[in-house]
Amino acid sequence: MEKGRDGAAAPPLKMLDRKRGCAANAVLVAFIVTVPSMAILFGARSSASALWIGSANASRIGAHDRLLGGLLANDGFDERSCHSRYEFATYRRNAGRKPSPYLVTKLRRHEALQRRCGPGTAAYSDAVEQLRSGKSHPGAIGSPECRYLVSISYQGLGNRILAAASAFLYAMLTGRVLLVDPSNEMGQLFCEPFPGTTWLLPPDFPLTSYTNFSIDTAESYGNMLKNKVIDAASTTAQQLPPFAYVHLDHDASVEDKFFFCDEDQRVLRDIRWLVMRTDSYIVPGLFLVTGFQEELGVLFPEPDAVFHHLGRYLFHPNNNVWGFITRYYDAYLATAHQRVGIQVRVFGADPESPELLEQITTCTQKENLLPGLLAAGIDPPAVPPAAPAGRKFSKAVLVTSLKSWYYDKLKSMYWEHAAASGEAVAVHQPSHEEYQLFGARSHDTKAWAEIYLLSLTDVLVTSGRSTFGYVAQGLGGLTPWVMYKPANGSVVPPDPPCGRDVSMEPCFHNPPFYGCRIKQWVDTGKIVPHVQRCKDVSWGLKLVGRNESKTCHIVALLGFHTLFALACCQLLVVNCWHGVKRAIARNWSADMNHC
């Protein structure tokens, strides 16, 4: 049984669930009481709600903005070397979220740091020599010398992308140069994200066995804590090692996860070289570190769009992959009125599951993403009501799966039977590799192209727990419908078969469950309002939008006209009922006091 810093045993996860009490009822009562009065007020006067809605829409970037609201640098790149960086905006119907001005400024500063301290500079050569010598970082706290974070690339492509994005955010928060392990195709699939420099770790890196670092590595931060090599409370900068390995993989120990504690971050910031391994999206854990929270709040006023911004900044398909994407898009997806993405990830031994096929069809038809089918011999409506005159409304369905069986079945269904709505439905699948291959360039090229194509759809259905789907939804700015995995290994499709996720953010599958400040086991999904449990991984954590009801309360506290404050609430009631349900479920007693 795992033990915390004070030796306390970790409780079973189910004991971490907080009971829902009278505070939840208070939210519901407040909601019911408020709605009629809002209806009366806005029946007489709607200008305030229009003003608020206009303000809310300001968070969206303009269509075909090639710089994504300043997210991408305007110079420093040869556009011919990476067509996708500035062309992809023309392929997206969903323009996406607008980055905060502070994020834009921070990215330009970080790009300058990468150029000043990256490979090929005198500063990098000095840092490598210091590492090779085995000497500790001589500088004191706040030293201006360059510091580095090396991100190890392994596992599937989705894992590698999420790991690199997580490492980049940590590097940006702590003022470190990010260097990515070039193995596993990381140097062949993506364009360089930083102008005037490289993010790839040079081949002469002194730690020649770094790709083999694991939970047993003596230099891991967790092992150094466990073996008393480092004491987070008393170790001085002069006593620190020349590098530390940060193990945040799926098998990370309790000591490894002290990485997410403030006092441990104070130690890590003075170690010049960090090497990190993770196969997950650790960003929700960074939001638990109190020393990062203020900075993160300014960088990402919309915490449910962190990977949306990081992914679109970092990951641009190289010209070869971009050719795969644009050719397929233009041939099969461009002319459809609506594009529906279905990502099928099969877990377990049976790759061809009639039960999973039933789950896919039930989900898509129940949620009105795909039309129902008519029995043989029954004619469909002549022209669907929503279609332009003389032309059927068309849907292009993009299926991604290692197997072709699901695509074949869906395609046959909509060829052999007419859609009840009269719509024309075309089903497509770019490839079917049959098995997941690690480190195979052709396999990863097709996987990256399919992730990107999924991100270009209008609506998206994903398989729970799949990093492939996580990346697609984040790049596309799409909150997906998630197909739940049957419980306890059952083959019976769950009921309901799918549900709309709470945000487009990926799930952190292996989060900490230790409260650093109170030094005891806690449910870390109830510490910060915008860090909650995942729908597809009950023990995981993900970022969601900030509490909407709290936003209304702040508007009122700031002294705005009552009608304007109610405009906020009206918008939330109409568009954010799921947010109200989350507030009830989370039992935010502090908010109830204001009610």
Side-chain angles (χ1 to χ4, degrees):
M1 180 175 288
E2 294 184 338
K3 295 183 181 296
R5 205 160 229 157
D6 58 354
L13 182 60
K14 63 183 180 180
M15 291 178 63
L16 296 173
D17 288 326
R18 187 176 301 170
K19 293 181 179 180
R20 300 168 184 173
C22 60
N25 294 330
V27 175
L28 188 58
V29 170
F31 175 79
I32 294 170
V33 169
T34 304
V35 171
S37 61
M38 289 193 297
I40 294 170
L41 282 169
F42 288 97
R45 185 171 174 180
S46 59
S47 58
S49 60
L51 175 62
W52 182 266
I53 292 170
S55 176
N57 287 338
S59 67
R60 315 292 295 188
I61 62 174
H64 301 168
D65 177 358
R66 67 198 301 265
L67 300 180
L68 303 179
L71 190 73
L72 304 182
N74 193 29
D75 50 24
F77 290 106
D78 177 3
E79 294 190 22
R80 294 171 299 179
S81 67
C82 184
H83 297 310
S84 67
R85 187 188 314 276
Y86 301 115
E87 290 180 6
F88 85 95
T90 63
Y91 284 83
R92 294 197 181 278
R93 292 177 183 172
N94 175 16
R97 304 276 189 92
K98 186 175 182 179
S100 70
Y102 184 64
L103 175 58
V104 171
T105 300
K106 188 82 171 180
L107 288 170
R108 301 293 89 81
R109 290 175 181 170
H110 192 84
E111 290 163 359
L113 175 68
Q114 295 275 154
R115 288 191 295 270
R116 188 169 64 251
C117 298
T121 64
Y124 178 78
S125 297
D126 290 344
V128 166
E129 284 306 312
Q130 173 259 319
L131 178 61
R132 186 176 283 116
S133 72
K135 295 179 181 179
S136 300
H137 178 14
I141 293 175
S143 170
E145 293 185 299
C146 303
R147 296 173 299 156
Y148 299 86
L149 174 64
V150 176
S151 176
I152 298 175
S153 305
Y154 91 121
Q155 294 283 40
L157 180 60
N159 301 84
R160 280 175 266 158
I161 289 174
L162 296 178
S166 301
F168 174 62
L169 179 56
Y170 181 67
M172 199 161 55
L173 288 170
T174 56
R176 291 180 178 272
V177 172
L178 173 66
L179 295 173
V180 174
D181 166 25
S183 63
N184 289 309
E185 313 302 321
M186 292 299 286
Q188 285 76 42
L189 297 175
F190 309 102
C191 301
E192 291 279 359
F194 306 127
T197 186
T198 182
W199 73 333
L200 298 176
L201 184 70
D204 60 348
F205 185 57
L207 303 178
T208 54
S209 62
Y210 74 96
T211 56
N212 296 321
F213 286 175
S214 70
I215 191 171
D216 298 320
T217 299
E219 294 85 358
S220 79
Y221 183 72
N223 285 333
M224 287 193 286
L225 285 176
K226 191 184 302 183
N227 299 327
K228 311 297 183 184
V229 176
I230 286 178
D231 187 303
S234 61
T235 299
T236 65
Q238 288 71 28
Q239 297 171 312
L240 293 173
F243 81 94
Y245 165 56
V246 178
H247 185 78
L248 296 175
D249 215 358
H250 60 275
D251 60 350
S253 68
V254 174
E255 289 82 7
D256 289 322
K257 294 180 187 178
F258 286 157
F259 172 86
F260 298 105
C261 294
D262 284 273
E263 64 179 348
D264 298 272
Q265 282 300 321
R266 285 190 286 271
V267 174
L268 287 166
R269 71 183 177 187
D270 288 317
I271 300 177
R272 194 171 193 181
W273 286 91
L274 296 181
V275 179
M276 177 185 290
R277 179 191 294 276
T278 183
D279 57 358
S280 192
Y281 180 67
I282 68 167
V283 169
L286 298 179
F287 275 76
L288 300 178
V289 181
T290 55
F292 295 154
Q293 287 172 356
E294 183 178 357
E295 177 91 348
L296 287 168
V298 184
L299 284 170
F300 304 103
E302 298 175 304
D304 59 335
V306 174
F307 181 74
H308 180 58
H309 294 311
L310 297 180
R312 295 189 307 160
Y313 174 79
L314 288 173
F315 305 111
H316 301 283
N318 68 10
N319 286 349
N320 178 49
V321 180
W322 189 238
F324 276 67
I325 294 166
T326 55
R327 288 190 294 271
Y328 197 90
Y329 179 94
D330 291 337
Y332 300 106
L333 306 178
T335 59
H337 292 103
Q338 187 183 43
R339 301 178 293 244
V340 179
I342 302 177
Q343 182 254 334
V344 183
R345 176 72 163 94
V346 179
F347 296 92
D350 187 4
E352 299 175 358
S353 167
E355 292 81 13
L356 179 54
L357 177 64
E358 179 186 348
Q359 185 177 1
I360 294 169
T361 56
T362 304
C363 168
T364 52
Q365 293 176 8
K366 182 178 179 180
E367 299 294 340
N368 295 317
L369 304 177
L370 291 180
L373 299 172
L374 293 176
I378 299 179
D379 294 328
V383 179
R391 183 184 175 194
K392 284 189 174 183
F393 189 89
S394 61
K395 286 192 176 186
V397 182
L398 178 71
V399 178
T400 65
S401 175
L402 289 171
K403 303 295 181 179
S404 62
W405 187 80
Y406 299 94
Y407 155 74
D408 289 334
K409 292 296 182 182
L410 287 170
K411 183 177 181 179
S412 295
M413 286 168 54
Y414 284 99
W415 182 37
E416 296 170 3
H417 301 271
S421 61
E423 297 168 289
V425 179
V427 183
H428 310 285
Q429 181 177 12
S431 72
H432 46 91
E433 296 287 280
E434 299 301 320
Y435 301 99
Q436 185 169 4
L437 305 175
F438 296 100
R441 182 179 300 184
S442 63
H443 179 87
D444 284 341
T445 295
K446 294 174 183 177
W448 182 212
E450 291 186 12
I451 287 174
Y452 213 91
L453 285 167
L454 281 175
S455 79
L456 298 177
T457 58
D458 303 308
V459 292
L460 181 62
V461 178
T462 63
S463 298
R465 307 186 186 184
S466 172
T467 57
F468 194 103
Y470 291 163
V471 175
Q473 68 197 43
L475 291 176
L478 303 167
T479 301
W481 281 264
V482 181
M483 292 187 291
Y484 305 125
K485 186 179 179 182
N488 302 319
S490 170
V491 296
V492 178
D495 185 17
C498 65
R500 194 77 184 271
D501 210 340
V502 292
S503 80
M504 59 181 160
E505 277 287 295
C507 178
F508 181 10
H509 287 183
N510 190 35
F513 287 102
Y514 185 76
C516 303
R517 299 180 72 180
I518 60 176
K519 298 189 183 302
Q520 67 182 33
W521 298 100
V522 297
D523 183 350
T524 46
K526 294 183 178 178
I527 294 176
V528 181
H530 44 278
V531 177
Q532 298 183 12
R533 296 275 193 89
C534 307
K535 275 194 169 186
D536 58 331
V537 181
S538 61
W539 59 88
L541 296 180
K542 76 181 301 172
L543 292 165
V544 301
R546 298 190 187 277
N547 176 245
E548 295 89 349
S549 61
K550 182 177 288 188
T551 303
C552 289
H553 178 67
I554 292 173
V555 170
L557 284 180
L558 291 175
F560 288 100
H561 193 279
T562 303
L563 187 59
F564 185 80
L566 285 173
C568 161
C569 292
Q570 185 203 38
L571 179 67
L572 296 171
V573 169
V574 173
N575 296 331
C576 303
W577 169 234
H578 291 295
V580 175
K581 289 195 291 186
R582 291 198 302 271
I584 295 171
R586 291 178 50 81
N587 192 7
W588 282 321
S589 57
D591 293 337
M592 300 313 99
N593 293 335
H594 300 310
C595 293

